[in-house]
Amino acid sequence: MKRIGAVLGFLALFAASLRADTFETRYYNGNMSPANEVGPIAGNNSSGQATITVVVRRDDGGNIVAGTVHFDIDYNFPAPVVVRGLHIHEGGAGVNGPIRIDTGITPSATVAAQGAGNLFRTVEVTGGAALTALSGLLANPAGFYVNLHTTEHTGGLMRDQLQVAAQPNPVVFDNGVVNNASFAAGTNPVAPGSIAAVFGKYLNSGPAALFTGFDNNGRLLRALGGTQVTVNGIAAPIFYSTFGQLGIQIPVELAGQTSATLQVSVGGKTSVSRTIPLAGAAPGLFAANQAGTGPAAALHEDGVTPVTASNPALPNEVVVLFGTGLGATSTPLETGAPSTGNPVAAPPAVTIDGVAVTPEFAGRAPTFVGLDQVNV
């Protein structure tokens, strides 16, 4: 899954949220079997359950101009296989038709598999035969089939015609709740008041959505993209909502607790509850690559110019770092409330190249929710 930085990634999501186009989400499934191939493959007990999610974008005239297709394939192979293709083809039952939507699994980009497992691929459709096929798929799903190809069965090992399906329950991955700055492994705790990333699938009901404002009490909204999240039954503010990732604030009411249960609800369907570890402070720094590794996302003393290899920080200069999870503020902030520059109650220990330094400021970044700032 692509990781979305809670701050830096907002710019791309915000641009998408401004489009006047409308979106539509459809779900399809199929029971994939070697017996459905043309001709049928005898003596092979492989099987698969395909769930296909299609999100289309229409212009003001109702024309489909783009789409996103999520392939979610639960498979069971009794013997080792090498998957060399996974596609949606156009064609009815008993017919071999052309490939219309390709996942990118190819003879030069194969996947080895055995036993029970899952293949997940997301495809962005912007034009060509794939875009034309989206209209046909929405109108007549039975005229399309999903097919999985292997090196032994290059023409296809198992397939099934697509049929309309109900919206699946949202799924939060095991250990899938992490610090949204560091993305440290899910066995690490997150801190009340911090920004956390929730990884899974079917986590919203359509396109990527970014927070659009605050409620009447000036608090960050707690529903977005058809999604709501509760932590120990407390509704969590949501920064962004995508099919595979959410950005939320861990409620400050959980201070002092060591664990909590998290659930995601989308369109009246609720995920299995996940237990997440908590700690009073669990800091992470945002990175320039938005993936939690490599150079920090730091600003020069002017608070505007990024610190880069070509424009490095200077000795004695105060630079600005951003993160989340520094812990409670000395003046308490309510869940979802933007900061007025509240310092943290327990300033962090900071080292630069192993040298201890004292921050000039460490606390919530002014006007932001859950975002920490360290001037050092």
Side-chain angles (χ1 to χ4, degrees):
M1 294 283 182
K2 181 180 179 181
R3 292 168 170 173
I4 301 172
V7 177
L8 303 178
F10 278 175
L11 297 177
L13 288 176
F14 183 67
S17 72
L18 294 179
R19 298 189 184 107
D21 300 342
T22 59
F23 292 85
E24 180 180 351
T25 303
R26 300 282 187 90
Y27 303 95
Y28 306 95
N29 63 18
N31 295 311
M32 304 172 71
S33 169
N36 295 335
E37 292 290 345
V38 183
I41 298 173
N44 190 302
N45 294 324
S46 297
S47 62
Q49 176 63 48
T51 302
I52 308 295
T53 303
V54 178
V55 181
V56 297
R57 177 161 62 91
R58 297 182 186 271
D59 62 17
D60 293 340
N63 303 301
I64 296 176
V65 295
T68 303
V69 181
H70 303 284
F71 289 72
D72 186 7
I73 314 297
D74 290 325
Y75 61 75
N76 197 313
F77 299 117
V81 301
V82 176
V83 181
R84 54 169 279 160
L86 176 62
H87 323 280
I88 291 176
H89 299 247
E90 185 171 6
V95 175
N96 282 330
I99 296 170
R100 295 305 189 203
I101 302 174
D102 178 30
T103 62
I105 299 175
T106 68
S108 59
T110 59
V111 177
Q114 183 180 7
N118 178 267
L119 279 173
F120 190 94
R121 292 292 187 276
T122 296
V123 180
E124 299 295 338
V125 177
T126 57
L131 186 61
T132 302
L134 289 181
S135 295
L137 178 58
L138 267 61
N140 179 30
F144 293 80
Y145 63 94
V146 58
N147 203 1
L148 183 146
H149 307 251
T150 65
T151 53
E152 183 179 359
H153 298 282
T154 57
L157 170 62
M158 56 183 184
R159 63 176 267 184
D160 196 21
Q161 304 303 124
L162 293 178
Q163 57 185 338
V164 175
Q167 176 183 336
N169 288 341
V171 175
V172 177
F173 294 152
D174 191 23
N175 295 326
V177 182
V178 300
N179 181 294
N180 207 313
S182 67
F183 295 107
T187 54
N188 287 292
V190 290
S194 70
I195 305 170
V198 180
F199 287 101
K201 55 188 177 182
Y202 311 110
L203 296 180
N204 77 349
S205 58
L210 173 70
F211 78 99
T212 54
F214 297 86
D215 63 21
N216 292 334
N217 295 317
R219 304 295 182 260
L220 195 65
L221 297 176
R222 305 188 188 211
L224 186 66
T227 303
Q228 293 178 301
V229 182
T230 59
V231 187
N232 268 18
I234 303 169
I238 305 180
F239 296 91
Y240 60 85
S241 166
T242 74
F243 181 91
Q245 184 181 338
L246 306 173
I248 68 168
Q249 185 187 29
I250 302 297
V252 299
E253 292 90 336
L254 302 176
Q257 302 191 35
T258 58
S259 67
T261 57
L262 178 144
Q263 283 188 297
V264 175
S265 296
V266 181
K269 306 225 172 163
T270 304
S271 70
V272 171
S273 178
R274 295 291 189 189
T275 299
I276 60 174
L278 301 176
L285 286 178
F286 286 101
N289 67 2
Q290 303 181 42
T293 60
L299 299 179
H300 282 283
E301 195 163 2
D302 61 8
V304 177
T305 308
V307 175
T308 65
S310 59
N311 188 13
L314 301 175
N316 295 320
E317 180 185 12
V318 175
V319 296
V320 184
L321 304 173
F322 295 96
T324 192
L326 291 186
T329 54
S330 55
T331 302
L333 281 167
E334 294 182 13
T335 297
S339 168
T340 57
N342 305 63
V344 291
V350 180
T351 62
I352 298 178
D353 205 21
V355 179
V357 292
T358 301
E360 292 193 355
F361 171 81
R364 300 289 188 271
T367 75
F368 286 90
V369 175
L371 178 67
D372 291 329
Q373 175 180 329
V374 180
N375 300 352
V376 65

